[in-house]
Amino acid sequence: TYHHVKFLVDDKDVDSILQMYKDKGIDVIQSGKFDDDVFYYLNTEPILGITVELGNCRKVRHPDRRYPASHRRQASEYKPT
């Protein structure tokens, strides 16, 4: 099963898109910024069975560690975005 899906939203459009969801009764349940990535989680699980995330999909640093450790990838395995 999936926890959430993320859709790319241009920074200049995010306010109007969030308002469109709000007008339909769908609120932001969490938002924030991680490095250059800005994100908004929407309360869509009651309607869709999954959480929708909107964001600008900008660059974030690679994690220092992963759990479980068996899923850890070497820096050389990452492809630049």
Side-chain angles (χ1 to χ4, degrees):
T1 62
Y2 293 98
H3 175 266
H4 73 283
V5 294
K6 184 173 186 176
F7 295 99
L8 171 64
V9 175
D10 193 293
D11 290 332
K12 67 179 176 50
D13 299 325
V14 72
D15 289 336
S16 63
I17 291 171
L18 291 174
Q19 186 62 52
M20 178 190 71
Y21 278 100
K22 186 176 179 108
D23 292 346
K24 296 177 185 286
I26 300 171
D27 293 319
V28 173
I29 54 175
Q30 181 180 348
S31 65
K33 183 175 183 183
F34 182 70
D35 291 337
D36 293 332
D37 184 46
V38 177
F39 57 89
Y40 304 86
Y41 287 91
L42 304 177
N43 188 22
T44 55
E45 192 167 344
I47 300 164
L48 302 175
I50 192 168
T51 300
V52 169
E53 177 187 1
L54 304 176
N56 61 10
C57 299
R58 298 270 171 81
K59 188 173 182 177
V60 297
R61 69 190 109 113
H62 300 298
D64 295 330
R65 58 193 160 117
R66 297 185 83 151
Y67 181 84
S70 63
H71 287 89
R72 188 174 306 156
R73 294 192 285 174
Q74 300 298 318
S76 61
E77 296 179 88
Y78 288 98
K79 295 181 181 175
T81 57

